[in-house]
Amino acid sequence: MEQRVSLITLGVADLDRSRRFYEGGLGWQMTEMVEGQVVFYQLSNGLALGLFGREALKEDGHFDDDTGASFAGLTLAYNARSEEEVDQVMAEAEKAGAKIQKPAEKVFWGGYSGYFRDPDGHAWEVAFNPFWEIDEKGNLHIPPQKTE
């Protein structure tokens, strides 16, 4: 696993309110969104920030278990260059002591992802998004969403 974080996703209580804060208040520009579900902002340092409804994020990662590790409403993500790399990273994390929260699988948005928790319960998503690029340095690039 390369030593990097691609995406930080915040589980938010009100997606519209959060968009007003980041876009209207801070002047950030949305890069991609799924209306009413998730918004992504490409950051200048090869990272991205995602805003996802808190309950939807909790459900997506299967964070409703009784392991004793609470869900903090934040996930870190490692974006891979292929589905095979996702499987490799998930196996490496499990071998190192991670708890597999949600095994990697094909997902509704066209990609492939799984979740694990590190030994302190911090949540990581490992994902391959066929619409995004990871350059040779590991920087994430989200192409601007086409508007009609």
Side-chain angles (χ1 to χ4, degrees):
M1 176 177 183
E2 293 175 37
Q3 186 173 314
R4 63 180 167 81
V5 174
S6 307
L7 172 69
I8 299 168
T9 303
L10 304 177
V12 299
D14 183 326
L15 187 59
D16 290 333
R17 180 186 68 195
S18 293
R19 285 191 65 198
R20 286 191 302 273
F21 172 78
Y22 284 96
E23 295 170 26
L26 299 182
W28 288 21
Q29 293 185 0
M30 178 270 301
T31 309
E32 182 178 319
M33 81 170 173
V34 177
E35 188 65 44
Q37 295 180 32
V38 64
V39 177
F40 296 102
Y41 301 92
Q42 176 72 63
L43 306 180
S44 61
N45 57 355
L47 286 168
L49 177 73
L51 305 177
F52 199 163
R54 184 180 173 87
E55 289 304 311
L57 182 58
K58 185 176 178 182
E59 182 180 320
D60 188 56
H62 295 191
F63 296 115
D64 53 3
D65 63 359
D66 292 325
T67 62
S70 64
F71 178 59
L74 178 131
T75 61
L76 302 171
Y78 178 96
N79 280 71
R81 293 177 182 91
S82 67
E83 292 182 11
E84 295 77 22
E85 186 182 1
V86 170
D87 290 337
Q88 176 187 356
V89 169
M90 293 289 288
E92 186 177 340
E94 184 173 34
K95 185 177 178 184
K99 177 194 180 296
I100 301 302
Q101 189 69 40
K102 175 185 169 187
E105 63 185 12
K106 290 193 181 289
V107 289
F108 70 93
W109 45 265
Y112 186 74
S113 85
Y115 288 85
F116 69 83
R117 287 182 183 263
D118 74 9
D120 289 301
H122 300 290
W124 281 82
E125 179 184 22
V126 182
F128 167 66
N129 185 326
F131 310 106
W132 295 358
E133 176 191 336
I134 306 295
D135 70 20
E136 66 282 345
K137 293 181 181 178
N139 296 316
L140 175 65
H141 300 280
I142 303 173
Q145 191 167 20
K146 293 176 175 64
T147 55
E148 300 175 80

